[in-house]
Amino acid sequence: LNKPKLVHEKWRSALRRAAILAGQSFFARNISEGFLYDMIALEALLTEPTDRFPNAMIDRIVALFGWMTGENPQPWKDSISKLYQLRCKLVHDGDASEISIEYLIEADTILANLLYNLCALTRVIKSKKDVIKLSEEMQARQILGQKMRRPRGLQFGEKYFSKDDLEKLKDPKHWAW
């Protein structure tokens, strides 16, 4: 982000804010706070105010990471829809009862991979409009039955947690500062 690249300043700022939100998620005082920071960052990177939610997020995640599921969008639809449902319950009802460490890890994983790829691929993704354009192109290719063509270098990494690790993360003492 600090190197001179032809990235729109507004996009550079959005990437920086999303990275800060990811850091705030990491240092959150509880699971629901970390989850909310992740969701804010995902929305900031993937959506416009006029978008339909969560469809726009789903389409853009599928455009970038559909290859992870053999071009089957359903796993991403299920994942993003559930995360968005939990986000809405928290934001609109103040209900965090269903937000588990597993959902936080899922949101963290998607955000970390999204940030990595958007920062690593600034030669082709220079703005949020480029993300939207890529999503529209992938949708058109799918409708036409054409091969998906994504920017070279896309990656997706996952971290696996043992049962003991998950139990430690579920403990409220883990989150106490």
Side-chain angles (χ1 to χ4, degrees):
L1 286 178
N2 293 322
K3 295 178 183 175
K5 294 187 179 187
L6 298 175
V7 175
H8 295 155
E9 187 57 38
K10 198 172 171 183
W11 184 237
R12 182 186 312 266
S13 180
L15 290 168
R16 194 169 269 126
R17 286 191 313 273
I20 290 168
L21 287 164
Q24 288 176 306
S25 173
F26 182 77
F27 288 107
R29 293 168 293 192
N30 56 59
I31 291 169
S32 58
E33 182 183 341
F35 178 83
L36 187 58
Y37 283 129
D38 284 347
M39 293 305 293
I40 293 168
L42 287 168
E43 288 184 40
L45 292 173
L46 294 172
T47 64
E48 297 285 355
T50 57
D51 284 334
R52 292 185 59 225
F53 290 86
N55 297 347
M57 289 177 66
I58 294 166
D59 292 343
R60 292 163 195 163
I61 288 291
V62 169
L64 290 163
F65 302 126
W67 54 275
M68 287 287 302
T69 57
E71 302 303 344
N72 178 3
Q74 196 59 49
W76 292 111
K77 286 180 185 177
D78 295 345
S79 173
I80 299 298
S81 294
K82 181 62 179 178
L83 295 176
Y84 193 74
Q85 173 196 0
L86 293 169
R87 170 248 184 242
C88 288
K89 282 182 81 170
L90 177 59
V91 170
H92 301 294
D93 296 332
D95 182 359
S97 64
E98 292 181 44
I99 300 173
S100 66
I101 189 63
E102 290 83 3
Y103 289 124
L104 173 59
I105 291 169
E106 189 173 344
D108 275 345
T109 301
I110 294 168
L111 177 58
N113 281 286
L114 183 63
L115 272 169
Y116 172 80
N117 284 289
L118 293 177
C119 291
L121 298 172
T122 54
R123 71 184 187 287
V124 290
I125 301 175
K126 297 173 178 25
S127 69
K128 191 182 299 187
K129 287 181 182 176
D130 290 337
V131 175
I132 294 167
K133 181 181 172 191
L134 175 65
S135 173
E136 291 168 349
E137 288 174 4
M138 293 296 106
Q139 288 173 352
R141 287 183 169 283
Q142 187 175 27
I143 290 168
L144 296 171
Q146 295 180 344
K147 184 179 179 193
M148 299 296 177
R149 290 195 179 143
R150 292 180 176 87
R152 288 183 196 265
L154 279 172
Q155 297 181 29
F156 196 94
E158 294 186 74
K159 182 168 174 44
Y160 295 97
F161 294 87
S162 70
K163 287 182 182 181
D164 288 343
D165 290 339
L166 291 174
E167 288 305 314
K168 288 177 188 174
L169 290 171
K170 289 177 185 177
D171 184 354
K173 292 178 187 172
H174 170 81
W175 298 92
W177 288 96

